[in-house]
Amino acid sequence: MSLKGLEIAPSQIRGAVRIVPLLRRQVRGDFRLVRRDYHEDIAVVSLAGRITVPEMQYYSYIPHGLVLSWSDDGSPIAAFGGQMFKPDGKRLDCGCASVRLMHRMAKREAKNQLRLLPLHLAMEGFLSLFFSGPDIAWSEYSKYALAHGLGSRYEMSFSGRYIAGLEDALRVFEIHPRQVGVLVFVAETLASAFVVPTPEDYRALHTSLLEDFYGELIYEYSMMFDKPFPMDLSVDDAKIHSLADLRNAIAKMRTDWAAFQGFMAEGLLQSPLNSQRVYTMGPFVLQRFITSLHPKEENHIGEAIIREDGELEYLKTYRLSAAQTRRVYLLSQLHFYNWNIDATATALGNTREEFVTRLETAGFGYLLNQQVRDAARKKRKK
Protein backbone atom coordinates (compact mmCIF):
# COMPACT_ATOMS: atom_id res chain seq x y z
CA MET A 1 0.00 0.00 0.00
CA SER A 2 1.51 3.29 -1.10
CA LEU A 3 0.56 6.74 0.20
CA LYS A 4 1.62 8.28 -3.09
CA GLY A 5 0.44 11.88 -3.36
CA LEU A 6 -0.03 12.20 0.41
CA GLU A 7 1.99 13.65 3.29
CA ILE A 8 1.91 12.47 6.90
CA ALA A 9 1.44 15.34 9.37
CA PRO A 10 2.20 15.36 13.14
CA SER A 11 -0.37 13.45 15.15
CA GLN A 12 -2.90 14.65 17.70
CA ILE A 13 -3.59 12.64 20.86
CA ARG A 14 -6.52 12.30 23.23
CA GLY A 15 -6.53 9.47 25.73
CA ALA A 16 -5.46 6.27 23.98
CA VAL A 17 -6.47 7.61 20.55
CA ARG A 18 -3.82 9.00 18.21
CA ILE A 19 -5.04 10.49 14.94
CA VAL A 20 -2.45 11.14 12.24
CA PRO A 21 -3.61 13.59 9.53
CA LEU A 22 -2.91 12.77 5.89
CA LEU A 23 -2.50 15.81 3.60
CA ARG A 24 -2.77 15.79 -0.19
CA ARG A 25 0.01 17.52 -2.10
CA GLN A 26 -2.11 18.29 -5.17
CA VAL A 27 -5.91 18.37 -5.13
CA ARG A 28 -7.14 17.85 -8.70
CA GLY A 29 -10.92 17.91 -8.24
CA ASP A 30 -11.74 15.41 -11.01
CA PHE A 31 -12.86 12.76 -8.51
CA ARG A 32 -15.35 13.45 -5.70
CA LEU A 33 -17.52 11.54 -3.30
CA VAL A 34 -20.47 12.33 -1.07
CA ARG A 35 -22.24 10.51 1.70
CA ARG A 36 -25.70 9.00 1.31
CA ASP A 37 -27.37 8.22 4.64
CA TYR A 38 -29.52 5.17 5.33
CA HIS A 39 -31.83 4.92 8.32
CA GLU A 40 -32.84 1.26 8.41
CA ASP A 41 -31.98 -1.23 11.17
CA ILE A 42 -30.44 -3.68 8.72
CA ALA A 43 -29.54 -3.84 5.04
CA VAL A 44 -29.77 -6.87 2.77
CA VAL A 45 -27.44 -6.59 -0.22
CA SER A 46 -27.96 -8.91 -3.18
CA LEU A 47 -24.50 -9.82 -4.46
CA ALA A 48 -25.85 -11.44 -7.63
CA GLY A 49 -28.09 -8.50 -8.50
CA ARG A 50 -31.25 -10.40 -7.50
CA ILE A 51 -32.81 -10.32 -4.04
CA THR A 52 -34.32 -13.78 -4.57
CA VAL A 53 -31.08 -15.77 -4.18
CA PRO A 54 -30.58 -16.30 -0.40
CA GLU A 55 -27.09 -17.80 -0.65
CA MET A 56 -25.89 -14.67 -2.44
CA GLN A 57 -26.94 -12.08 0.12
CA TYR A 58 -24.99 -9.98 2.61
CA TYR A 59 -26.68 -8.85 5.84
CA SER A 60 -25.41 -6.01 8.01
CA TYR A 61 -26.21 -2.70 9.60
CA ILE A 62 -25.10 -0.16 6.95
CA PRO A 63 -25.44 3.46 8.13
CA HIS A 64 -24.38 5.13 4.90
CA GLY A 65 -23.04 4.68 1.39
CA LEU A 66 -20.71 6.78 -0.74
CA VAL A 67 -21.60 8.13 -4.16
CA LEU A 68 -18.51 8.53 -6.36
CA SER A 69 -18.35 10.93 -9.31
CA TRP A 70 -15.47 11.43 -11.73
CA SER A 71 -14.49 12.98 -15.04
CA ASP A 72 -12.65 11.09 -17.74
CA ASP A 73 -10.65 14.07 -19.03
CA GLY A 74 -9.38 15.43 -15.70
CA SER A 75 -11.75 18.39 -15.61
CA PRO A 76 -13.00 19.43 -12.13
CA ILE A 77 -16.45 18.31 -11.05
CA ALA A 78 -18.82 19.47 -8.34
CA ALA A 79 -20.06 17.14 -5.63
CA PHE A 80 -23.76 17.51 -4.89
CA GLY A 81 -25.54 16.34 -1.76
CA GLY A 82 -26.45 12.65 -1.58
CA GLN A 83 -30.11 13.59 -1.40
CA MET A 84 -29.90 14.89 -4.98
CA PHE A 85 -29.48 11.38 -6.35
CA LYS A 86 -32.20 8.83 -7.05
CA PRO A 87 -33.32 6.48 -4.23
CA ASP A 88 -31.02 3.56 -3.48
CA GLY A 89 -32.84 0.24 -3.20
CA LYS A 90 -36.13 0.04 -1.35
CA ARG A 91 -37.29 0.11 2.25
CA LEU A 92 -39.21 -2.78 3.82
CA ASP A 93 -41.03 -2.34 7.14
CA CYS A 94 -41.05 -5.64 9.07
CA GLY A 95 -42.82 -4.33 12.16
CA CYS A 96 -40.08 -4.80 14.74
CA ALA A 97 -37.39 -3.61 12.33
CA SER A 98 -36.95 -1.76 9.07
CA VAL A 99 -34.90 -3.33 6.28
CA ARG A 100 -33.25 -1.80 3.23
CA LEU A 101 -33.00 -4.06 0.16
CA MET A 102 -30.07 -3.16 -2.08
CA HIS A 103 -28.24 -4.43 -5.15
CA ARG A 104 -24.48 -5.00 -5.21
CA MET A 105 -21.71 -3.56 -3.07
CA ALA A 106 -20.61 -1.25 -5.88
CA LYS A 107 -23.39 -0.24 -8.25
CA ARG A 108 -23.19 2.07 -11.24
CA GLU A 109 -25.94 4.68 -11.15
CA ALA A 110 -25.01 6.92 -14.10
CA LYS A 111 -22.32 7.25 -16.76
CA ASN A 112 -19.72 8.63 -14.34
CA GLN A 113 -21.31 7.80 -11.02
CA LEU A 114 -20.94 4.77 -8.75
CA ARG A 115 -22.51 3.95 -5.38
CA LEU A 116 -20.20 2.16 -2.95
CA LEU A 117 -20.96 0.60 0.43
CA PRO A 118 -17.78 1.60 2.29
CA LEU A 119 -15.88 -1.08 4.21
CA HIS A 120 -18.68 -3.58 3.58
CA LEU A 121 -17.16 -4.17 0.14
CA ALA A 122 -13.98 -5.31 1.90
CA MET A 123 -15.79 -7.35 4.56
CA GLU A 124 -17.92 -9.17 1.99
CA GLY A 125 -14.74 -10.11 0.14
CA PHE A 126 -13.25 -11.39 3.40
CA LEU A 127 -16.32 -13.50 4.18
CA SER A 128 -16.37 -14.99 0.70
CA LEU A 129 -12.77 -16.26 0.85
CA PHE A 130 -12.66 -20.03 0.21
CA PHE A 131 -16.44 -20.02 0.63
CA SER A 132 -17.20 -22.93 -1.69
CA GLY A 133 -15.51 -25.53 0.50
CA PRO A 134 -14.04 -28.85 -0.73
CA ASP A 135 -13.88 -29.53 -4.46
CA ILE A 136 -13.19 -33.22 -3.77
CA ALA A 137 -15.62 -35.41 -1.83
CA TRP A 138 -13.16 -36.26 0.97
CA SER A 139 -14.65 -38.77 3.40
CA GLU A 140 -13.84 -36.58 6.43
CA TYR A 141 -16.29 -33.83 5.55
CA SER A 142 -19.93 -33.61 6.55
CA LYS A 143 -22.71 -33.90 3.99
CA TYR A 144 -23.52 -30.25 4.65
CA ALA A 145 -19.96 -29.10 3.81
CA LEU A 146 -19.91 -31.13 0.59
CA ALA A 147 -23.31 -29.77 -0.47
CA HIS A 148 -23.10 -26.15 0.72
CA GLY A 149 -19.45 -25.32 1.37
CA LEU A 150 -19.03 -23.01 4.36
CA GLY A 151 -22.72 -22.11 4.37
CA SER A 152 -23.52 -18.81 6.07
CA ARG A 153 -20.46 -17.03 7.51
CA TYR A 154 -20.52 -14.08 9.87
CA GLU A 155 -18.16 -11.83 11.80
CA MET A 156 -18.89 -9.51 14.72
CA SER A 157 -17.49 -5.99 15.08
CA PHE A 158 -17.95 -2.86 17.17
CA SER A 159 -19.28 0.50 16.07
CA GLY A 160 -16.82 3.39 16.32
CA ARG A 161 -19.06 4.90 19.00
CA TYR A 162 -17.95 2.07 21.31
CA ILE A 163 -14.25 2.86 20.86
CA ALA A 164 -13.42 4.81 24.00
CA GLY A 165 -12.15 8.32 23.24
CA LEU A 166 -12.70 8.23 19.49
CA GLU A 167 -15.78 10.49 19.49
CA ASP A 168 -14.05 13.08 21.67
CA ALA A 169 -10.91 12.95 19.51
CA LEU A 170 -12.85 13.57 16.30
CA ARG A 171 -14.75 16.40 17.95
CA VAL A 172 -11.78 18.40 19.28
CA PHE A 173 -8.90 17.66 16.90
CA GLU A 174 -7.82 20.25 14.35
CA ILE A 175 -8.52 19.58 10.67
CA HIS A 176 -5.70 20.81 8.40
CA PRO A 177 -6.55 22.87 5.28
CA ARG A 178 -5.13 20.16 2.96
CA GLN A 179 -6.25 17.19 5.04
CA VAL A 180 -7.89 14.36 3.09
CA GLY A 181 -7.51 11.45 5.50
CA VAL A 182 -6.28 9.97 8.74
CA LEU A 183 -4.45 7.06 10.28
CA VAL A 184 -6.27 6.14 13.50
CA PHE A 185 -4.26 4.46 16.26
CA VAL A 186 -5.69 3.09 19.51
CA ALA A 187 -3.06 2.34 22.16
CA GLU A 188 -0.50 2.71 19.34
CA THR A 189 -2.22 -0.04 17.32
CA LEU A 190 -3.34 0.90 13.83
CA ALA A 191 -7.12 0.68 13.91
CA SER A 192 -8.07 2.24 10.58
CA ALA A 193 -6.83 4.21 7.59
CA PHE A 194 -9.18 6.55 5.75
CA VAL A 195 -8.49 8.67 2.65
CA VAL A 196 -10.78 10.65 0.34
CA PRO A 197 -10.07 12.76 -2.77
CA THR A 198 -10.45 16.36 -1.52
CA PRO A 199 -10.34 18.34 1.74
CA GLU A 200 -14.00 19.28 1.24
CA ASP A 201 -14.94 15.60 1.04
CA TYR A 202 -12.96 14.86 4.19
CA ARG A 203 -14.59 17.60 6.25
CA ALA A 204 -18.01 16.25 5.28
CA LEU A 205 -16.98 12.69 6.23
CA HIS A 206 -14.76 13.38 9.27
CA THR A 207 -17.31 12.09 11.79
CA SER A 208 -18.27 9.11 9.61
CA LEU A 209 -15.39 7.24 11.30
CA LEU A 210 -17.78 6.80 14.23
CA GLU A 211 -20.14 4.84 11.96
CA ASP A 212 -17.40 2.49 10.73
CA PHE A 213 -16.91 -0.87 12.42
CA TYR A 214 -13.79 -1.95 14.32
CA GLY A 215 -12.46 -5.28 15.49
CA GLU A 216 -12.56 -6.74 18.99
CA LEU A 217 -8.86 -6.00 19.55
CA ILE A 218 -9.36 -2.27 18.98
CA TYR A 219 -12.39 -2.19 21.30
CA GLU A 220 -10.49 -3.99 24.08
CA TYR A 221 -7.42 -1.75 23.73
CA SER A 222 -9.56 1.38 23.95
CA MET A 223 -10.98 0.10 27.25
CA MET A 224 -7.67 -1.11 28.72
CA PHE A 225 -5.37 1.82 27.94
CA ASP A 226 -5.99 5.49 28.62
CA LYS A 227 -2.88 7.03 27.07
CA PRO A 228 -0.37 6.24 24.30
CA PHE A 229 3.36 5.87 24.63
CA PRO A 230 5.37 9.14 24.88
CA MET A 231 6.97 10.06 21.56
CA ASP A 232 8.56 13.48 21.85
CA LEU A 233 10.60 15.34 19.28
CA SER A 234 12.13 18.73 19.93
CA VAL A 235 14.39 21.37 18.40
CA ASP A 236 17.91 21.82 19.82
CA ASP A 237 17.90 25.55 20.57
CA ALA A 238 21.71 25.59 20.84
CA LYS A 239 21.84 25.09 17.06
CA ILE A 240 19.34 27.83 16.23
CA HIS A 241 20.95 31.15 15.25
CA SER A 242 18.47 32.51 12.73
CA LEU A 243 14.95 32.13 11.40
CA ALA A 244 16.36 30.03 8.57
CA ASP A 245 17.91 27.62 11.11
CA LEU A 246 14.61 27.37 12.96
CA ARG A 247 12.69 26.77 9.72
CA ASN A 248 15.10 23.98 8.68
CA ALA A 249 15.02 22.38 12.14
CA ILE A 250 11.23 22.31 12.21
CA ALA A 251 11.11 20.90 8.67
CA LYS A 252 13.49 18.11 9.69
CA MET A 253 11.47 17.42 12.84
CA ARG A 254 8.27 17.11 10.79
CA THR A 255 10.02 14.78 8.32
CA ASP A 256 11.32 12.57 11.13
CA TRP A 257 7.90 12.55 12.79
CA ALA A 258 6.16 11.58 9.55
CA ALA A 259 8.68 8.80 8.91
CA PHE A 260 8.14 7.41 12.40
CA GLN A 261 4.36 7.51 12.13
CA GLY A 262 4.64 5.75 8.78
CA PHE A 263 6.76 3.12 10.55
CA MET A 264 3.98 2.71 13.14
CA ALA A 265 1.65 1.77 10.28
CA GLU A 266 4.08 -0.62 8.59
CA GLY A 267 1.72 -3.56 9.21
CA LEU A 268 -0.44 -2.01 6.50
CA LEU A 269 1.95 0.13 4.46
CA GLN A 270 4.81 -2.39 4.26
CA SER A 271 2.82 -5.62 4.05
CA PRO A 272 2.28 -7.58 0.80
CA LEU A 273 -1.33 -7.38 -0.35
CA ASN A 274 -3.62 -9.77 -2.17
CA SER A 275 -5.93 -7.50 -4.14
CA GLN A 276 -8.95 -7.94 -6.38
CA ARG A 277 -10.06 -5.43 -8.98
CA VAL A 278 -13.73 -4.63 -8.47
CA TYR A 279 -14.50 -1.78 -10.88
CA THR A 280 -12.74 0.45 -13.41
CA MET A 281 -13.91 4.07 -13.54
CA GLY A 282 -12.11 5.87 -16.37
CA PRO A 283 -8.61 6.60 -15.02
CA PHE A 284 -9.48 5.14 -11.58
CA VAL A 285 -9.54 1.55 -10.34
CA LEU A 286 -11.54 0.33 -7.34
CA GLN A 287 -10.04 -2.70 -5.63
CA ARG A 288 -10.38 -4.56 -2.35
CA PHE A 289 -7.46 -6.22 -0.62
CA ILE A 290 -6.24 -8.31 2.31
CA THR A 291 -2.76 -8.52 3.82
CA SER A 292 -0.62 -11.65 4.04
CA LEU A 293 -2.75 -13.44 6.71
CA HIS A 294 0.30 -14.54 8.69
CA PRO A 295 -1.14 -15.51 12.10
CA LYS A 296 1.69 -13.87 14.08
CA GLU A 297 1.44 -10.53 12.29
CA GLU A 298 -1.18 -7.79 12.19
CA ASN A 299 -3.58 -8.13 9.28
CA HIS A 300 -5.95 -5.73 7.56
CA ILE A 301 -8.66 -5.82 4.94
CA GLY A 302 -9.73 -2.79 2.97
CA GLU A 303 -10.68 -1.12 -0.25
CA ALA A 304 -8.88 1.49 -2.29
CA ILE A 305 -9.28 3.61 -5.40
CA ILE A 306 -6.04 4.22 -7.29
CA ARG A 307 -5.46 6.76 -10.05
CA GLU A 308 -3.73 5.45 -13.18
CA ASP A 309 -0.44 7.10 -12.08
CA GLY A 310 -0.57 5.22 -8.75
CA GLU A 311 -1.86 8.09 -6.61
CA LEU A 312 -4.19 7.02 -3.81
CA GLU A 313 -7.61 8.70 -4.04
CA TYR A 314 -9.67 6.63 -1.58
CA LEU A 315 -8.82 4.18 1.19
CA LYS A 316 -10.70 2.54 4.03
CA THR A 317 -9.32 -0.32 6.13
CA TYR A 318 -10.30 -2.66 8.96
CA ARG A 319 -7.88 -4.34 11.40
CA LEU A 320 -8.59 -8.07 11.72
CA SER A 321 -8.52 -9.63 15.17
CA ALA A 322 -6.25 -12.58 15.91
CA ALA A 323 -9.27 -14.91 15.89
CA GLN A 324 -10.45 -13.62 12.51
CA THR A 325 -6.96 -14.07 11.10
CA ARG A 326 -6.73 -17.63 12.43
CA ARG A 327 -10.06 -18.56 10.88
CA VAL A 328 -9.24 -17.39 7.40
CA TYR A 329 -5.65 -18.69 7.68
CA LEU A 330 -6.91 -22.21 8.37
CA LEU A 331 -9.28 -21.96 5.42
CA SER A 332 -6.47 -20.72 3.18
CA GLN A 333 -4.26 -23.66 4.13
CA LEU A 334 -7.07 -26.14 3.55
CA HIS A 335 -7.69 -24.56 0.16
CA PHE A 336 -3.98 -24.68 -0.72
CA TYR A 337 -3.80 -28.41 0.08
CA ASN A 338 -7.06 -29.21 -1.75
CA TRP A 339 -8.96 -29.56 1.55
CA ASN A 340 -6.95 -32.68 2.43
CA ILE A 341 -7.00 -32.91 6.24
CA ASP A 342 -3.84 -35.00 6.62
CA ALA A 343 -1.76 -33.00 4.13
CA THR A 344 -2.79 -29.70 5.73
CA ALA A 345 -2.09 -30.95 9.24
CA THR A 346 1.38 -32.14 8.21
CA ALA A 347 2.19 -28.82 6.53
CA LEU A 348 1.22 -26.94 9.71
CA GLY A 349 3.19 -29.24 11.98
CA ASN A 350 0.09 -30.76 13.59
CA THR A 351 -1.15 -34.27 14.05
CA ARG A 352 -4.48 -35.06 12.44
CA GLU A 353 -6.22 -34.80 15.83
CA GLU A 354 -4.55 -31.48 16.67
CA PHE A 355 -5.62 -29.98 13.38
CA VAL A 356 -9.20 -31.18 13.82
CA THR A 357 -9.18 -29.52 17.24
CA ARG A 358 -7.92 -26.27 15.68
CA LEU A 359 -10.78 -26.36 13.19
CA GLU A 360 -13.33 -26.94 15.93
CA THR A 361 -11.88 -24.15 18.08
CA ALA A 362 -12.05 -21.77 15.11
CA GLY A 363 -15.75 -22.56 14.65
CA PHE A 364 -15.43 -24.84 11.63
CA GLY A 365 -16.18 -28.14 13.36
CA TYR A 366 -19.48 -28.36 11.45
CA LEU A 367 -17.49 -28.96 8.25
CA LEU A 368 -16.30 -32.35 9.53
CA ASN A 369 -18.41 -35.45 9.99
CA GLN A 370 -19.12 -36.76 13.47
CA GLN A 371 -16.76 -39.76 13.16
CA VAL A 372 -13.73 -37.53 12.55
CA ARG A 373 -14.62 -35.25 15.45
CA ASP A 374 -15.25 -38.14 17.83
CA ALA A 375 -11.96 -39.80 16.88
CA ALA A 376 -10.08 -36.58 17.61
CA ARG A 377 -11.76 -36.24 21.04
CA LYS A 378 -10.88 -39.84 21.99
CA LYS A 379 -7.28 -39.31 20.95
CA ARG A 380 -7.09 -36.17 23.09
CA LYS A 381 -8.46 -37.99 26.15
CA LYS A 382 -5.79 -40.68 25.89
Side-chain angles (χ1 to χ4, degrees):
M1 175 59 62
S2 169
L3 296 181
K4 183 177 180 180
L6 304 175
E7 299 175 7
I8 301 177
S11 63
Q12 303 173 75
I13 303 171
R14 188 174 182 86
V17 177
R18 180 189 298 272
I19 294 186
V20 181
L22 299 175
L23 315 181
R24 193 172 295 283
R25 296 189 180 97
Q26 179 187 3
V27 178
R28 308 192 195 190
D30 59 344
F31 180 71
R32 299 293 302 273
L33 54 84
V34 296
R35 171 173 162 171
R36 174 185 288 167
D37 289 324
Y38 306 124
H39 304 286
E40 287 70 33
D41 301 301
I42 191 171
V44 180
V45 185
S46 174
L47 305 178
R50 292 183 296 132
I51 296 293
T52 56
V53 188
E55 64 270 23
M56 293 296 289
Q57 291 179 357
Y58 174 91
Y59 297 78
S60 182
Y61 169 62
I62 302 179
H64 66 269
L66 294 177
V67 179
L68 319 177
S69 303
W70 67 93
S71 64
D72 296 318
D73 58 3
S75 58
I77 58 173
F80 298 99
Q83 72 278 2
M84 301 293 291
F85 299 113
K86 62 183 181 181
D88 188 3
K90 64 179 180 178
R91 186 178 187 276
L92 181 65
D93 191 350
C94 299
C96 61
S98 59
V99 179
R100 177 168 290 270
L101 305 178
M102 308 174 73
H103 294 266
R104 301 186 180 90
M105 290 290 170
K107 180 181 179 182
R108 190 160 191 150
E109 295 189 335
K111 181 177 182 293
N112 283 39
Q113 183 177 301
L114 184 79
R115 188 270 290 135
L116 169 69
L117 300 180
L119 209 51
H120 295 277
L121 175 71
M123 179 55 74
E124 186 273 318
F126 174 74
L127 291 173
S128 66
L129 289 172
F130 320 113
F131 189 81
S132 59
D135 294 325
I136 300 173
W138 300 104
S139 60
E140 293 88 349
Y141 290 98
S142 65
K143 293 181 179 179
Y144 179 87
L146 295 174
H148 304 287
L150 297 186
S152 297
R153 283 194 63 195
Y154 70 93
E155 295 291 344
M156 297 184 65
S157 298
F158 292 84
S159 164
R161 299 187 186 278
Y162 287 88
I163 306 301
L166 180 59
E167 187 168 7
D168 282 345
L170 293 173
R171 178 174 55 84
V172 303
F173 284 174
E174 174 191 6
I175 298 179
H176 291 254
R178 293 188 292 120
Q179 184 171 348
V180 296
V182 288
L183 300 174
V184 179
F185 294 86
V186 176
E188 307 303 10
T189 299
L190 180 61
S192 175
F194 179 47
V195 175
V196 295
T198 73
E200 293 79 12
D201 296 338
Y202 180 77
R203 291 189 191 97
L205 291 164
H206 177 68
T207 58
S208 71
L209 289 163
L210 291 174
E211 295 184 342
D212 286 343
F213 50 87
Y214 299 82
E216 181 181 9
L217 176 71
I218 304 304
Y219 168 76
E220 290 178 350
Y221 277 11
S222 74
M223 294 298 187
M224 293 170 56
F225 303 101
D226 59 0
K227 60 182 179 180
F229 302 120
M231 301 179 186
D232 295 327
L233 288 175
S234 60
V235 173
D236 186 356
D237 55 4
K239 298 181 180 180
I240 304 302
H241 306 289
S242 65
L243 286 177
D245 291 342
L246 179 60
R247 187 182 300 111
N248 292 335
I250 291 176
K252 184 179 185 305
M253 183 176 66
R254 288 176 64 91
T255 300
D256 293 343
W257 191 239
F260 183 74
Q261 291 172 145
F263 170 75
M264 290 172 60
E266 68 172 352
L268 172 67
L269 301 180
Q270 302 299 323
S271 177
L273 302 180
N274 296 311
S275 63
Q276 176 190 24
R277 180 177 298 207
V278 177
Y279 209 92
T280 299
M281 306 170 288
F284 307 97
V285 174
L286 169 64
Q287 55 186 294
R288 57 187 176 191
F289 60 84
I290 188 169
T291 52
S292 61
L293 291 178
H294 195 287
K296 295 184 179 180
E297 298 174 358
E298 67 178 85
N299 285 280
H300 302 260
I301 61 174
E303 59 216 22
I305 295 176
I306 311 296
R307 189 182 289 270
E308 58 187 354
D309 64 359
E311 189 169 325
L312 183 65
E313 292 290 340
Y314 165 79
L315 174 68
K316 191 175 279 288
T317 69
Y318 170 87
R319 169 74 179 264
L320 295 172
S321 68
Q324 288 172 325
T325 298
R326 284 195 298 271
R327 284 195 286 274
V328 76
Y329 177 74
L330 288 175
L331 292 178
S332 71
Q333 295 304 298
L334 278 170
H335 177 79
F336 184 79
Y337 291 101
N338 293 318
W339 294 80
N340 184 303
I341 296 289
D342 294 318
T344 307
T346 300
L348 296 182
N350 298 141
T351 64
R352 177 188 177 92
E353 292 74 23
E354 290 171 340
F355 183 68
V356 169
T357 300
R358 288 181 68 177
L359 285 176
E360 289 189 289
T361 303
F364 294 127
Y366 70 93
L367 295 177
L368 306 174
N369 62 40
Q370 194 62 47
Q371 292 87 345
V372 172
R373 296 160 68 182
D374 289 344
R377 293 191 186 101
K378 290 180 182 178
K379 191 76 172 183
R380 290 198 299 271
K381 289 180 182 179
K382 292 181 182 179

